[in-house]
Amino acid sequence: MAETVTLDLARADDLVRAALQASRVSPENAACVAAALVAAERDGQKGHGLSRVPSYAAQTRSGKVDGFAVAAAERVAPALVRVDARDGFAFPALALAVEEVAALAEELGIAAAAVHRSHHLGQATYHVERLAARGLLGLMFGNSPKAIAPWGGRDGVFGTNPIAMAAPRGEGPPIVVDTSLARVARGKIMAAAQAGETIPDDWALDAEGRPTTDPEAALLGTVIPIGDAKGVALALLVEVLSASLTGANHGFEASSFFTAEGDPPGVGHLVIALKPGPLSGGAFAERLDALAAAVEGQESARLPGSRRHALRAKADAEGLTVPAKLVAEIEALSRK
């Protein structure tokens, strides 16, 4: 068997939908999840892409994730919305949150949505770009199961806790910042484990606090934060915004995104939308373009996230290259 398989985007979407629908997921939720996972794979974010399908399916089959959940939104103040993901996948809840804050921010200039009882948010770019497409500046914070230890400690307390921003430009795609607060997302470590590959020794520590190149040992330990103690402080900041503020489980209280055992993770996300024109006195587009030019004007420099556009074009033209073993595993799920 070849080591990899090439799938066009439509075929990849069909595969994911079929696997999820055969795993106790409604057609509507399967479509929403598939779109997000294929988009991440298209952007080269394999840790948030098709590699997630087996663990997602295992969790819906066990009941840890409710594949039939329908997210609900409640407006709790003029510019504030509370979204209950109802222990389902994050993607339908975040799609609802984005729609709610976009409509309110267009009217009021700013809006925020707090999502609770949620799950893995995937590639944060996927969500904030939807706000930028409507001319809004989008911000997002999310927490996740424990993966980062407090500075000086050994046991995980904070998640990798992604943060993201998408800022619309007058011309061209938005400027996007999307990063977790670990040196690498745990999804990349999981993808390495599935592919039978080693990882760099500066990504993670094993359960004894020792650097490791074994992804299986890394998944049992903790990941190394960006910026050392400063990264841990940022992880705390995101934990407050996405869990304390939303009423969700903290990372040390949340169950794993990867295993089928245990209670639902119950994590949280905060989505904020800002109307940039009024705040900037109409200068936002010009100021943002000046900032982008200062970066792009330097030889070999590029804006964060710009590589994604080349990867998208390549995937559209050539398809997605996926481990054959993973494709076979996904196909097998639809037959169970």
Side-chain angles (χ1 to χ4, degrees):
M1 178 185 292
E3 292 186 0
T4 61
V5 174
T6 300
L7 305 172
D8 64 36
L9 300 182
R11 174 60 178 152
D13 188 86
D14 288 344
L15 275 176
V16 177
R17 288 197 199 202
L20 293 175
Q21 285 184 235
S23 303
R24 301 176 61 191
V25 179
S26 70
E28 296 79 11
N29 286 345
C32 188
V33 174
L37 297 188
V38 172
E41 195 81 25
R42 178 180 177 234
D43 282 1
Q45 297 298 312
K46 293 184 177 293
H48 296 307
L50 302 191
S51 66
R52 292 279 176 168
V53 177
S55 61
Y56 278 12
Q59 290 173 66
T60 53
R61 288 174 187 241
S62 73
K64 183 175 183 176
V65 174
D66 183 354
F68 294 90
V70 178
E74 176 189 7
R75 192 169 176 183
V76 294
L80 301 178
V81 176
R82 186 163 165 78
V83 176
D84 186 353
R86 294 180 168 172
D87 293 327
F89 287 115
F91 304 109
L94 285 167
L96 178 59
V98 165
E99 284 303 312
E100 292 283 337
V101 298
L104 289 174
E106 286 165 355
E107 174 190 355
L108 302 172
I110 185 170
V115 183
H116 68 290
R117 291 210 295 170
S118 194
H119 193 258
H120 171 241
L121 65 82
Q123 180 187 212
T125 295
Y126 183 75
H127 311 292
V128 292
E129 276 191 329
R130 293 182 175 187
L131 293 169
R134 295 173 70 155
L136 300 167
L137 190 149
L139 294 168
M140 184 173 186
F141 307 87
N143 82 317
S144 53
K146 61 182 182 181
I148 294 176
W151 193 246
R154 191 175 71 178
D155 297 328
V157 172
F158 312 113
T160 55
N161 291 9
I163 59 175
M165 177 206 73
R169 297 177 68 177
E171 298 292 336
I175 295 176
V176 176
V177 175
D178 179 357
T179 185
S180 79
L181 299 179
R183 288 188 185 173
V184 67
R186 281 172 71 87
K188 288 188 177 180
I189 297 174
M190 184 185 72
Q194 289 176 334
E197 299 171 349
T198 59
I199 60 173
D201 64 4
D202 62 351
W203 279 13
L205 307 175
D206 65 16
E208 301 302 319
R210 299 170 302 202
T212 182
T213 60
D214 179 354
E216 300 287 355
L219 290 172
L220 296 174
T222 59
V223 292
I224 299 173
I226 60 171
D228 298 327
K230 291 181 180 180
V232 172
L234 287 172
L236 171 61
L237 180 152
V238 176
E239 197 77 32
V240 171
L241 291 176
S242 59
S244 305
L245 185 61
T246 68
N249 283 342
H250 290 290
F252 66 89
E253 300 167 318
S255 62
S256 172
F257 287 160
F258 299 113
T259 64
E261 296 75 34
D263 295 328
V267 296
H269 326 295
L270 180 67
V271 181
I272 301 172
L274 295 159
K275 198 170 184 178
L279 282 173
S280 66
F284 181 75
E286 182 273 326
R287 293 283 73 211
L288 189 64
D289 286 343
L291 176 61
V295 174
E296 295 175 323
Q298 296 190 34
E299 185 177 355
S300 301
R302 62 180 177 86
L303 290 166
S306 58
R307 176 174 170 268
R308 159 183 312 115
H309 303 294
L311 291 173
R312 288 178 183 177
K314 186 175 187 294
D316 292 344
E318 302 175 11
L320 304 171
T321 301
V322 185
K325 180 181 176 182
L326 175 60
V327 173
E329 191 172 358
I330 294 172
E331 289 175 332
L333 287 169
S334 64
R335 297 192 292 268
K336 289 184 178 178

